[in-house]
Amino acid sequence: MGSNPTSTASFVSLAIRGYRPASTGPERGNLPTGPDRLRSGVLEPQSTALFLLLIAAFCGQLCWLALARQAVFRILAACLAFIPAMLFGVAAVNKYYDYYQTWSAAAADLGGQGANQGPALPTVDTASGQNLSAVLGRSINVAAAAQQGQTFRLTVRGATSHLSRHVYVYLPPQYFRQAYRGYRFPVIELINGFPGGPQDWINVVGVIAAYSTLLNDGVVKPVALVMPDPEGGRGISLQCLNVLHGPQDATFLATDLPGYLSHVLRLQPPGLAWGIAGYSEGGFCAANLALNYRLRYGYAGVLSGYFAPFKDQLGSPPRLIAPFGSNAGLLKQNTPLDRLPALPVSARIPLFWLGVGGNDSSGVASARQFQQLLLARQPGVQLHVEPGGGHTMTTWRALMPPLLEWMTPALNGAARHPTPPGGNSPVGALSPDRAPARAALSAGEVPLQAPGAGRPPGTAHRATG
């Protein structure tokens, strides 16, 4: 799969969640100002001191092994030497892919707890109409939330997909302020890569703290960040697809979840004021869902994504399956490189933002190919290349600030000047594609204006194309 490691021993598998190996050596792109780099202690997971300590421990055990006279001590020394050697391998993989930068991030992620995630709210059903805002008000410190925002975790059951998934939601400080009590906030739905989980956005990418810093600096606008579990469990990879005779993942992510959250929270309904973004496999999800549910999203960000699906990984034990069986039509509809040119030129699609690491040669080639298809519809679309970046968290951490600076002002404008959402069914279900001229008007499709505001002087990333 596009984000799978090729072959890795089980003891290092957790350290490379969310990546496929880059075509070149380890990449060390520029890190953004954000929380994941604030505490670079002497013995943090990627520190030189930690590597030297592990080497010293290993050499010490080898000396003991060479000098010990009794067999029992030689065996003990050999066994103990395995520990620093194993930890060195894990640390090396972690440093190569730039995953965990602090012990707190590693502990939070491996323990299944999002950093500062806030309360875990009760399981709620999309059909129940339960007032989540009331539950939230009883579970948090509203005064503190009005200063720093609030992250919480809940479980949502999809009324149509019948899937139950954990979802992390971040609400900005403005959500809890009296001046905004009548305002419905725009949303960015964030999809993580495989293997991984939604908490990686918080613990590893550091998106909430990075966004909070940008919000305090006035370079982004207030939005809610929604981070769902796109897989439903470890070892599962659904690529946000509706599997033939299987899990209806796309329906949950594009229909059930947005519909529910906009019903129980002061969030915009699906449409121009909803954005979607993802990295690696999540980048494919963002591109594919944006095209197949194009009237439910206004903007889409693709970070190191791919544009044709691989086989899903599903079952217990997990096995590779063709998500659409032998149905070539469904495969083509869920291949963005095929889907985009098949849409009528008059069909409204979300505006795209593309980002990739400069040293990720295959990722750059895929992004350029998709960019060329987009240019016929969105002449201003740019491919943002992070210099020296690979298919790593370093690249995605660096690309998130400019993506947020681009997307949040546009979503804010859509929220303040709403248009009818235009429908809630996938592409091809009804008239917009079959009678483009008249259906576009009746469905409320309007040309999107490329956002130009929100980027302060001197912060532009290099773009190609």
Side-chain angles (χ1 to χ4, degrees):
M1 192 148 309
S3 55
N4 285 351
T6 50
S7 60
T8 311
S10 59
F11 69 85
V12 298
S13 61
L14 288 175
I16 58 175
R17 299 185 349 169
Y19 307 103
R20 59 176 169 77
S23 57
T24 60
E27 316 301 345
R28 305 297 301 172
N30 296 324
L31 289 174
T33 56
D36 274 341
R37 61 168 304 187
L38 291 181
R39 296 179 292 276
S40 54
V42 175
L43 289 178
E44 291 290 8
Q46 298 187 25
S47 65
T48 302
L50 176 63
F51 284 92
L52 293 176
L53 179 63
L54 293 173
I55 292 172
F58 179 72
C59 292
Q61 298 301 328
L62 290 183
C63 291
W64 185 19
L65 177 63
L67 298 175
R69 296 182 179 274
Q70 298 184 21
V72 63
F73 291 114
R74 293 173 65 89
I75 295 173
L76 179 60
C79 293
L80 292 177
F82 176 75
I83 296 175
M86 177 187 68
L87 293 176
F88 185 92
V90 173
V93 171
N94 179 63
K95 186 175 180 67
Y96 183 94
Y97 291 105
D98 192 37
Y99 201 76
Y100 300 116
Q101 293 186 311
T102 66
W103 293 117
S104 59
D109 194 29
L110 299 179
Q113 298 295 316
N116 302 317
Q117 70 180 33
L121 300 186
T123 298
V124 290
D125 194 302
T126 55
S128 69
Q130 182 176 347
N131 190 337
L132 184 57
S133 293
V135 176
L136 185 62
R138 295 192 299 266
S139 305
I140 68 169
N141 184 331
V142 177
Q147 297 301 316
Q148 60 190 20
Q150 180 65 51
T151 306
F152 59 92
R153 176 174 54 87
L154 69 159
T155 301
V156 177
R157 295 192 184 103
T160 304
S161 66
H162 306 293
L163 297 177
S164 293
R165 296 285 172 78
H166 295 301
V167 180
Y168 292 82
V169 178
Y170 166 80
L171 299 175
Q174 289 80 0
Y175 188 93
F176 303 94
R177 297 175 184 172
Q178 282 291 93
Y180 288 81
R181 63 184 180 274
Y183 180 63
R184 296 176 70 85
F185 287 79
V187 180
I188 303 178
E189 191 173 346
L190 297 171
I191 312 296
N192 59 270
F194 169 81
Q199 67 274 13
D200 291 348
W201 283 107
I202 304 172
N203 299 325
V204 185
V205 178
V207 66
I208 291 176
Y211 171 77
S212 298
T213 299
L214 295 170
L215 186 62
N216 291 335
D217 291 343
V219 295
V220 297
K221 299 296 184 181
V223 299
L225 303 178
V226 173
M227 295 154 279
D229 176 5
E231 315 292 8
R234 293 186 183 274
I236 298 174
S237 170
L238 297 175
Q239 302 180 96
C240 309
L241 299 171
N242 282 342
V243 179
L244 193 65
H245 308 303
Q248 302 297 285
D249 205 44
T251 298
F252 176 84
L253 294 169
T255 301
D256 289 339
L257 180 62
Y260 173 74
L261 290 180
S262 63
H263 179 65
V264 298
L265 292 170
R266 294 197 327 274
L267 302 181
Q268 288 286 325
L272 297 183
W274 266 75
I276 187 169
Y279 61 83
S280 195
E281 180 180 293
F284 167 78
C285 292
N288 194 50
L289 292 177
L291 292 177
N292 277 310
Y293 296 82
R294 57 190 176 80
L295 300 181
R296 299 184 69 83
Y297 297 103
Y299 301 87
V302 181
L303 308 181
S304 304
Y306 51 94
F307 302 97
F310 295 85
K311 287 186 176 181
D312 280 350
Q313 186 167 297
L314 189 60
S316 182
R319 66 187 186 280
L320 294 178
I321 64 167
F324 309 113
S326 58
N327 191 319
L330 285 177
L331 176 61
K332 191 170 184 178
Q333 181 176 324
N334 288 275
T335 300
L337 292 176
D338 293 329
R339 186 63 203 158
L340 182 56
L343 291 172
V345 175
S346 59
R348 198 268 289 171
I349 64 171
L351 286 179
F352 279 84
W353 190 99
L354 308 177
V356 69
N359 285 355
D360 181 8
S361 58
S362 62
V364 171
S366 295
R368 288 191 187 280
Q369 184 180 7
F370 190 64
Q371 179 196 26
Q372 290 301 313
L373 294 176
L374 284 170
L375 284 173
R377 302 164 185 269
Q378 298 175 7
V381 66
Q382 293 183 335
L383 170 59
H384 294 250
V385 179
E386 178 63 20
H391 198 86
T392 67
M393 286 290 184
T394 299
T395 298
W396 305 325
R397 277 192 291 265
L399 289 173
M400 280 307 297
L403 170 60
L404 293 170
E405 292 168 25
W406 174 84
M407 188 180 289
T408 60
L411 293 172
N412 182 263
R416 293 186 180 278
H417 305 284
T419 59
N424 59 2
S425 55
V427 168
L430 271 182
S431 57
D433 294 342
R434 302 186 183 186
R438 300 182 65 177
L441 294 175
S442 64
E445 294 194 60
V446 294
L448 294 180
Q449 299 299 316
R455 183 182 303 284
T459 62
H461 279 225
R462 181 166 63 90
T464 62

